[in-house]
Amino acid sequence: MTERLKHDGLAKKILSDPIAAQEFISHYLPESCKELLDLDTLKVEKESYVEEDLKQKFSDLVFSIKMKNNEKAFIYTLIESEVSPNYWIAFKLWKYIFLLIERHKTKHQSKLPLVIPIVMYHGTRPFNAPRSLWDLFVAPDLAKKFMGGDYQLVDLYSMPDEQIKQKQHLGMLEYFMKYVYARDILNLWEDFLENFKSCLFLDKEKGYIYVRNFLWYTDSKLPEDKYIDLEKIIKEHFPKEDKEDLMRTVAQKYREEGKLEGKLEGKLEGKMEIAKSMLSKGYSIEDIVLITGLYPSDIQDLK
């Protein structure tokens, strides 16, 4: 005895037949769409994109088809088997479409195929769910304008330096990001501190949150034999008390990145390991004493 077909399964079974599929597509696609397609190339694809937990509510059928310019396209048909229309069906439809086209994304700069969505509804109540993804948003027109068009591009590569320098906190970030790959790190620090002198006072009010993060980021990119040069640059541009505090940022990084695995901060053994790492980076004994709390004689013994 054959298993009784569910309603959506029945539609999927029948529409999988090439003749029925071609009639369905020919009847329901708009003329402007059919003009672009070669209906004789219609082919049923096997894969489904509906989540397992929703297969009782939805069924899908994917047709591949050639466009008249020989490019490949897809017609994605979502069959809703609920009695009343699902409010989120437009959202689900787009989600499944993106899963489909993701399979065609390659490492190369190829173009994605066109996907034409169709929903078949056969419930017992009038269909009143939103027909467009944008209708699901609080402000549909704005959603379509801001999310459906080109994304906003902040192109630091082509942005003039003078335009960047006119900004304050944002300018510091943009300048640093623009040149972090293109310039020598030491030159970057020199130029950055010269160009943003006034902004450093604003950063000081926030505990030098920007400078600390820039130090944290560039420390791993700076050769060990150049670190003492960075320390000199910091000394030249910051008051002594601020410089000492900023240098602790890098010492803290050693601990958090696991460079001193198994060592507990504050214990003598851990402090000695920190001192060794700082010596290898070119720190002065004065700075190591400041950051670790060790005696100068202890540090001298590590050399």
Side-chain angles (χ1 to χ4, degrees):
M1 186 176 178
T2 58
E3 185 179 352
R4 183 181 168 198
L5 282 173
K6 295 178 181 178
H7 296 310
D8 57 328
L10 172 64
K12 188 170 183 177
K13 185 78 173 178
I14 296 300
L15 292 178
S16 294
D17 175 71
I19 297 176
Q22 196 168 72
E23 185 179 9
F24 175 76
I25 296 303
S26 179
H27 192 80
Y28 288 110
L29 282 186
E31 289 299 324
S32 60
C33 185
K34 285 191 287 186
E35 288 173 1
L36 303 174
L37 304 174
D38 181 357
L39 296 182
D40 293 332
T41 63
L42 190 70
K43 177 184 174 185
V44 179
E45 299 291 325
K46 300 294 184 183
E47 196 161 10
S48 171
Y49 295 89
V50 175
E51 301 115 314
E52 286 298 325
D53 59 338
L54 289 179
K55 288 198 173 181
Q56 296 299 319
K57 299 179 180 180
F58 299 106
S59 181
D60 60 349
L61 195 58
V62 182
F63 303 98
S64 61
I65 192 168
K66 290 279 188 180
M67 300 178 69
K68 289 183 178 177
N69 62 3
N70 212 37
E71 293 289 343
K72 193 173 186 179
F74 292 92
I75 300 169
Y76 188 86
T77 304
L78 189 63
I79 305 166
E80 184 177 359
S81 59
E82 291 185 288
V83 174
S84 58
N86 186 299
Y87 176 81
W88 297 105
I89 195 166
F91 179 85
K92 291 289 181 187
L93 184 61
W94 272 103
K95 181 178 179 181
Y96 302 148
I97 288 173
F98 273 107
L99 288 174
L100 189 159
I101 61 178
E102 189 173 24
R103 300 293 177 90
H104 298 269
K105 184 182 68 175
T106 67
K107 293 181 180 179
H108 306 291
Q109 294 181 359
S110 58
K111 297 295 183 180
L112 296 172
L114 177 68
V115 180
I116 305 156
I118 298 177
V119 172
M120 175 182 278
Y121 170 71
H122 57 97
T124 59
R125 302 176 190 176
F127 189 89
N128 57 3
R131 295 279 300 276
S132 164
L133 176 68
W134 313 117
D135 290 337
L136 295 171
F137 289 88
V138 174
D141 291 341
L142 291 178
K144 187 174 183 179
K145 177 180 178 181
F146 296 135
M147 301 169 65
D150 294 349
Y151 55 79
Q152 182 69 22
L153 176 64
V154 181
D155 185 5
L156 299 180
Y157 177 85
S158 60
M159 190 179 296
D161 286 358
E162 289 307 313
Q163 184 178 336
I164 293 175
K165 293 172 191 176
Q166 290 173 6
K167 305 159 193 172
Q168 296 182 347
H169 291 89
L170 180 59
M172 288 193 285
L173 172 64
E174 290 180 347
Y175 189 86
F176 217 93
M177 290 184 68
K178 179 177 180 178
Y179 290 113
V180 73
Y181 297 119
R183 291 188 178 182
D184 176 85
I185 294 297
L186 293 176
N187 286 337
L188 171 58
W189 271 102
E190 284 277 15
D191 292 343
F192 167 71
L193 294 172
E194 283 294 329
N195 284 308
F196 291 93
K197 283 181 179 179
S198 60
C199 296
L200 293 178
F201 289 104
L202 297 174
D203 195 26
K204 182 175 181 178
E205 294 174 0
K206 296 179 177 292
Y208 288 119
I209 186 172
Y210 284 76
V211 173
R212 288 181 192 279
N213 279 286
F214 297 156
L215 275 172
W216 191 289
Y217 180 71
T218 56
D219 175 66
S220 61
K221 300 180 178 297
L222 193 66
E224 291 188 4
D225 61 339
K226 297 291 185 181
Y227 194 82
I228 194 168
D229 296 321
L230 175 58
E231 186 181 359
K232 289 177 182 177
I233 292 171
I234 299 298
K235 282 182 177 179
E236 291 172 3
H237 290 85
F238 292 91
K240 183 178 180 182
E241 65 274 12
D242 293 340
K243 173 262 170 185
E244 293 169 348
D245 187 35
L246 289 170
M247 288 299 101
R248 290 193 186 94
T249 297
V250 181
Q252 179 66 21
K253 181 181 179 182
Y254 294 151
R255 303 184 187 102
E256 294 189 9
E257 287 192 348
K259 292 181 179 178
L260 305 175
E261 292 180 8
K263 306 299 181 182
L264 296 176
E265 183 181 352
K267 291 192 174 182
L268 178 61
E269 185 180 9
K271 290 181 177 181
M272 296 298 282
E273 291 295 331
I274 292 172
K276 286 180 183 178
S277 294
M278 293 178 71
L279 279 171
S280 69
K281 285 276 192 177
Y283 271 95
S284 66
I285 291 179
E286 177 188 2
D287 288 333
I288 299 174
V289 169
L290 174 68
I291 292 171
T292 64
L294 294 170
Y295 291 106
S297 58
D298 294 329
I299 299 167
Q300 288 284 0
D301 292 340
L302 295 174
K303 287 188 172 183

